[in-house]
Amino acid sequence: WGVNEEMYRRNILPFPDRVANLDLAVTVVLRAIAKAKPRLLRPARFDYATAVDEPADAATRAALAELLADPLLEAPVPGEGKGSCRGGLAECEELFSETRMFRAREGFFDARHDEIKTEFRRVFRNISSIMDCVGCEKCKMWGKLQFLGVGTALKILFGDNADSGEPPSLERNEVIALFNVLAKLAGSAGWLREKAAEDAAKEKAAAPPPPTGFEKVVLQAAAPDAKRPKKGQKVTVHCTGMGKNGDLAEKFWSTKDPGQNPFTFQIGMNRVIRAWDEGVMTMAVGEKALIKSSANYAYGDRGFSSWGIMPKSPLIFEIEVLSIE
């Protein structure tokens, strides 16, 4: 009895809607607890004690007090409109609303509203009775407990007096099942998030590293005897840079723009980005080429916001070597 990771990968991971359904189930149970909170806080009715193990009873009462004191289960904030999640889960209809569940699309109650609610309850009881056919006694016991917990939540939300605003009377076994099913559902939802984060971290670690360096594509070859740069020399180039806002087809700067001039830099001295330093070192006067740069050979994790260069952006430069001194 524990986590079955194989079943998770087979029956849950490929189906995002099942994870969403689990989140909805947690929300429904929490909303029920929020609505039943006035009754659950009555010590004369539920003292949450077994009279057998006082330390365990004290721990149980402390855990329940902490849960019921959570701001999410607090009473609505005065002045907040109905449906606002600031008013606590009991008044939040953005996540789940039992009052809207049986409404017609136009916003009015369907003429068959009561009939549909009755059918809804009947189907749930039929599903619950299926557990009687389970051969494993332990499975049957836990299954019955879970169904009773969900059934208790639905009783609070859809019971005959649900519209009155007064929580229904609850039996001790219903309260036990309600908190038990919350623990199981919330624990499962939390485990799924931890497993998803763990899988994402493993996938990221196993992914091939992004390309690094530069690629040169010659557009116009230099003469065979053209001068080539050496470390420390001053090189003057025309350059057009592409990659604004992550789009390698969009220009972010050019020495040919109005008011701009050819750019001169000292090569091999780390005065410019690495793609320029190493790429232009392979060129000669009169040569024109595309230098396709990886992000870490350009502006890296910081980017260059003044030119619209986003962090971790690869870039393309069209460079023409004009002179070398």
Side-chain angles (χ1 to χ4, degrees):
W1 289 86
V3 174
N4 189 327
E5 189 163 335
E6 180 184 350
M7 183 177 291
Y8 155 72
R9 298 196 177 280
R10 184 179 67 248
N11 297 338
I12 303 297
L13 185 60
F15 306 99
D17 57 317
R18 295 181 182 178
V19 178
N21 288 340
L22 176 60
D23 290 339
L24 176 61
V26 174
T27 302
V28 169
V29 175
L30 278 174
R31 186 169 171 87
I33 291 175
K35 288 207 163 187
K37 184 177 175 181
R39 288 197 182 275
L40 297 173
L41 285 174
R42 294 175 186 173
R45 179 68 174 127
F46 303 112
D47 58 2
Y48 305 107
T50 63
V52 175
D53 187 342
E54 180 52 36
D57 290 345
T60 298
R61 285 192 291 268
L64 284 170
E66 183 179 359
L67 171 64
L68 295 175
D70 190 288
L72 193 63
L73 302 181
E74 287 181 356
V77 176
E80 292 292 335
K82 190 172 181 64
S84 167
C85 285
R86 263 198 76 205
L89 192 63
E91 291 297 310
C92 175
E93 295 187 345
E94 294 174 22
L95 299 176
F96 172 76
S97 171
E98 67 278 6
T99 59
R100 295 181 183 176
M101 190 166 177
F102 300 104
R103 287 184 187 272
R105 183 170 299 177
E106 294 79 9
F108 299 97
F109 279 108
D110 190 281
R112 296 177 59 243
H113 170 256
D114 292 335
E115 181 183 339
I116 294 172
K117 286 183 72 173
T118 301
E119 179 67 12
F120 179 81
R121 294 170 188 157
R122 185 188 67 78
V123 170
F124 182 81
R125 292 191 190 99
N126 288 344
I127 296 173
S128 178
S129 66
I130 292 174
M131 294 306 302
D132 294 327
C133 303
V134 175
C136 169
E137 290 300 322
K138 187 178 286 188
C139 299
K140 183 186 297 185
M141 179 188 72
W142 283 108
K144 283 285 187 180
L145 184 61
Q146 302 306 306
F147 271 108
L148 179 58
V150 174
T152 301
L154 297 180
K155 173 183 175 179
I156 296 168
L157 297 174
F158 299 109
D160 294 333
N161 64 338
D163 296 334
S164 69
E166 179 67 20
S169 297
L170 299 174
E171 300 299 326
R172 182 182 179 85
N173 63 333
E174 291 178 319
V175 174
I176 292 172
L178 180 64
F179 285 117
N180 183 276
V181 78
L182 174 63
K184 296 298 182 183
L185 292 175
S188 297
W191 185 88
L192 287 180
R193 278 166 174 70
E194 291 175 4
K195 181 55 63 174
E198 180 183 317
D199 288 347
K202 288 180 179 178
E203 184 178 344
K204 183 177 180 180
T212 183
F214 70 92
E215 176 188 353
K216 174 184 167 185
V217 178
V218 176
L219 301 177
Q220 175 183 297
D225 58 348
K227 188 175 183 180
R228 294 183 175 275
K230 296 179 182 179
K231 183 176 180 180
Q233 288 185 312
K234 290 184 178 181
V235 181
T236 300
V237 301
H238 263 313
C239 177
T240 298
M242 312 291 287
K244 185 175 182 179
N245 298 322
D247 184 353
L248 291 175
E250 187 173 356
K251 180 183 72 174
F252 59 81
W253 167 78
S254 177
T255 57
K256 298 180 180 180
D257 287 340
Q260 296 292 322
N261 296 301
F263 184 78
T264 300
F265 66 98
Q266 195 173 12
I267 198 167
M269 306 299 290
N270 297 322
R271 305 289 175 82
V272 291
I273 61 174
R274 192 171 176 182
W276 278 36
D277 243 354
E278 297 184 16
V280 176
M281 187 69 80
T282 69
M283 299 177 69
V285 173
E287 183 178 350
K288 182 187 294 184
L290 288 181
I291 301 295
K292 300 178 181 180
S293 170
S294 63
N296 63 330
Y297 265 55
Y299 295 94
D301 293 338
R302 293 174 299 140
F304 193 59
S305 59
S306 298
W307 280 353
I309 299 173
M310 300 173 66
K312 300 181 180 180
S313 289
L315 301 173
I316 296 177
F317 299 95
E318 180 184 291
I319 297 177
E320 180 181 3
V321 179
L322 303 177
S323 64
I324 298 173
E325 299 177 4

